[in-house]
Amino acid sequence: MPIATTNPTTGQVLKSFEAMSAEQLDAAIERADLAYQRLRDTTIDQRGRWLTAAADLLEAERDETARLMTSEMGKTYAAAKAEVTKCATACRFYATKAAEFLADEPADAGAVKATRAFIRYQPIGPVLAVMPWNFPLWQVMRFAAPALMAGNTGLLKHASNVPQTALLLEDLFRRAGFPEGAFTTLLAGSDAVDPVLSDPRVRAATLTGSEGAGRSIAQIAGRELKKTVLELGGSDPFVVMPSADLDRAAEVATTARCQNNGQSCIAAKRFIVHTDVFDAFAERFAANMSALRVGDPMDDTTDVGPLATERGRDEVHAQVRDAVDQGATVLCGGEPPARDGWWYPPTVVTDLRPEMRMWSEEVFGPVAGLFRVSSYDEAIEVANGTTFGLGSNAWTRDPREQERFATDLDAGNVFINGMTTSFPELPFGGVRNSGYGRELSALGMREFCNVKTVWVGEGAASAGAGAHAE
Ligand code: NAP
């Protein structure tokens, strides 16, 4: 894939970049390693001041950053501005909370025959971050803010279609005051991941992206015995039960499916509706989807902009065609307009069957699959019936059902009567083929820490360290 900004609204290439040479990659890793030696010796307070400065810069430069993101991947300007603000919030969160998250954690010294025992969280070194284009700032920031605060350094291999946002991030952390090399953008294709991750100076990797990329990076990391966090795809269920507030559910369903032009890992993708309310929900949902305004993402009245790449648009349409050719029914949308750029209309498809791609695959565009079920148990069976397990949503006013959904949905998160989203305060991640590990909260920060056990005996007492060395 060429490293270039191609405006999805017009299909025009705006700027191209040369991939870095092996020597340039090596020099970047060396800088990241040297910066790590410096960063780990700085105080949390100092790192917090730098991260706060990054938040200030993000807020001051919000509009131009948002404009750049929109030109690279087509999200609406309004959504891009909100993304920049969210990144600033996450920076402030980690700048404030890192001292608490990284504080020594006392253990029960008596139980382990010590005079003192505790857990110490320490940085591990340069971490490779392989990132997607769909939230080009936020996906990176939710790795970078906790990693830098912990004293690690970052090497970013961003998606090839958002090189300018990638460079902006490196520049942001430099201007905020972090040492040279603390956060470096590698302008490189996916073929660079193996040599970079194999380098002994690089200690771990995090990937947000597709299942295929996850498998590839996990294989390299397995060979090299390196820690990974994988945030992969999802086909989140959105279950609607008879007691749900249907108007609200149909309104939120529309946003949950079409936010970010339908290109979000935690977008609701499969709408699983109890037969008692199926027709009423389907009517409201299809009407809401049809009413969305598709158009220039820079226009404030636009709800849905173009898809980020031509290949992505073609893939979404192939999934819809596959279902329709096998007998599925299109309630709205389903045909891309003939115009420059990579557009796809908000679409609802029902009468799906297991042999259709839409039944089990992730659809990365504004296309909803609508499923009819006749009981709670059937809703759970369909909801859990893919290989994914990222987010999930259930709509019910019945407290007993709410409790059951929280337990029975096999996913990294369950949102009841609301749509899945991410907060710096809450852990984020998936199970099954949606990946492993967690981002955000204290857990996200500790993923790339050495969780060090410290046991202190009394001089050469019989319960000394040697007695417990295993
Ligand atoms: P992608 O093709 O996997 O690309 C993501 C990143 O991985 C890019 O930097 C890409 O580089 C790189 N990459 C691709 N194949 C690779 C390989 N074999 N080895 C090493 N690196 C590789 O994903 P995408 O289509 O851009 O993004 C959409 C996917 O990301 C969806 O499945 C979505 O659900 C998932 N996602 C997950 C989360 C989450 O938090 N769980 C969040 C957002 C998106 P190039 O661009 O150079 O190919």
Side-chain angles (χ1 to χ4, degrees):
M1 199 167 163
I3 302 173
T5 300
T6 305
N7 188 345
T9 303
T10 59
Q12 285 184 339
V13 179
L14 300 179
K15 201 163 181 178
S16 298
F17 296 82
E18 284 287 315
M20 288 165 82
S21 65
E23 291 71 30
Q24 287 171 314
L25 291 174
D26 181 69
I29 296 171
E30 183 61 16
R31 279 198 304 278
D33 195 32
L34 290 173
Y36 166 60
Q37 320 291 338
R38 283 188 59 198
L39 200 62
R40 68 179 175 190
D41 290 334
T42 55
T43 61
I44 290 177
D45 273 358
Q46 176 59 75
R47 302 197 289 269
R49 281 194 290 280
W50 289 330
L51 202 57
T52 303
D56 293 342
L57 286 168
L58 282 166
E59 280 164 355
E61 298 164 4
R62 183 195 67 167
D63 293 1
E64 58 204 89
T65 303
R67 222 172 284 124
L68 176 65
M69 286 155 68
T70 298
S71 75
E72 292 209 290
M73 50 69 64
K75 69 170 60 210
T76 63
Y77 183 46
K81 285 188 282 191
E83 184 172 335
V84 179
T85 302
K86 186 169 181 172
C87 288
T89 305
C91 287
R92 294 193 198 287
F93 173 79
Y94 278 109
T96 312
K97 298 292 276 187
E100 176 190 328
F101 294 163
L102 298 172
D104 287 349
E105 217 173 281
D108 182 349
V112 296
K113 298 186 175 57
T115 54
R116 208 154 65 89
F118 58 93
I119 299 159
R120 176 160 289 172
Y121 297 99
Q122 289 185 293
I124 55 171
V127 180
L128 171 65
V130 183
M131 290 289 153
W133 45 263
N134 61 340
F135 292 92
L137 208 66
W138 170 241
Q139 296 294 351
V140 178
M141 194 55 78
R142 65 193 208 174
F143 152 72
L148 291 169
M149 275 310 296
N152 294 308
T153 56
L155 289 160
L156 170 65
K157 184 260 166 288
H158 216 327
S160 293
N161 55 330
V162 290
Q164 296 191 72
T165 308
L167 290 170
L168 179 148
L169 278 153
E170 177 181 291
D171 189 50
L172 172 79
F173 290 117
R174 186 188 299 118
R175 286 188 294 137
F178 282 97
E180 180 69 27
F183 189 90
T184 305
T185 288
L186 308 175
L187 284 178
S190 55
D191 56 336
V193 168
D194 193 337
V196 172
L197 185 50
S198 304
D199 190 293
R201 292 165 293 186
V202 176
R203 297 292 306 275
T206 181
L207 161 83
T208 301
S210 60
E211 215 178 310
R215 287 183 196 284
S216 166
I217 287 177
Q219 276 174 16
I220 301 163
R223 190 186 70 212
E224 302 295 330
L225 291 180
K226 289 183 183 175
K227 164 90 182 259
T228 48
V229 167
L230 300 181
E231 297 281 1
L232 309 178
S235 187
D236 288 7
F238 186 106
V239 181
V240 183
M241 296 301 282
S243 68
D245 175 342
L246 280 197
D247 285 331
R248 180 86 189 119
E251 186 188 325
V252 174
T254 309
T255 310
R257 178 57 284 207
C258 294
Q259 59 162 332
N260 213 39
N261 307 343
Q263 304 160 118
S264 167
C265 56
I266 47 167
K269 291 165 188 147
R270 296 175 300 131
F271 296 80
I272 299 161
V273 184
H274 194 282
T275 190
D276 291 356
V277 289
F278 183 90
D279 292 341
F281 177 84
E283 190 187 322
R284 287 167 171 82
F285 184 38
N288 291 348
M289 291 283 278
S290 305
L292 292 175
R293 284 164 305 231
V294 179
D296 180 356
M298 287 304 296
D299 186 335
D300 281 345
T301 63
T302 293
D303 298 306
V304 180
L307 299 199
T309 65
E310 184 172 24
R311 197 178 52 142
R313 193 273 312 271
D314 291 349
E315 179 69 1
V316 166
H317 192 46
Q319 288 168 305
V320 171
R321 286 306 322 163
D322 166 79
V324 172
D325 290 348
Q326 296 185 74
T329 307
V330 174
L331 298 185
C332 64
E335 275 304 327
R339 60 188 275 198
D340 288 342
W342 304 312
W343 308 88
Y344 208 80
T347 297
V348 180
V349 183
T350 192
D351 298 324
L352 293 161
R353 289 198 311 274
E355 57 272 25
M356 299 170 182
R357 293 179 61 190
M358 278 189 67
W359 184 278
S360 51
E361 291 181 9
E362 176 179 32
V363 182
F364 221 54
V367 175
L370 190 56
F371 302 72
R372 186 193 291 266
V373 292
S374 52
S375 65
Y376 174 89
D377 288 343
E378 195 187 349
I380 290 293
E381 190 185 321
V382 176
N384 292 342
T386 71
T387 54
F388 297 112
L390 191 56
S392 60
N393 307 259
W395 287 74
T396 170
R397 287 164 163 149
D398 176 343
R400 212 179 124 256
E401 258 177 17
Q402 293 178 356
E403 209 34 56
R404 292 181 73 193
F405 276 120
T407 302
D408 295 342
L409 285 167
D410 196 4
N413 70 64
V414 178
F415 279 64
I416 311 273
N417 297 336
M419 65 180 243
T420 296
T421 184
S422 57
F423 302 95
E425 294 83 357
L426 291 176
F428 184 100
V431 294
R432 300 194 284 168
N433 290 5
S434 292
Y436 50 75
R438 289 295 178 265
E439 291 190 299
L440 302 175
S441 77
L443 295 181
M445 178 171 244
R446 292 172 185 164
E447 287 282 3
F448 296 114
C449 284
N450 174 11
V451 182
K452 185 185 273 180
T453 295
V454 182
W455 185 100
V456 184
E458 202 178 337
S462 59
H468 289 264
E470 287 169 10

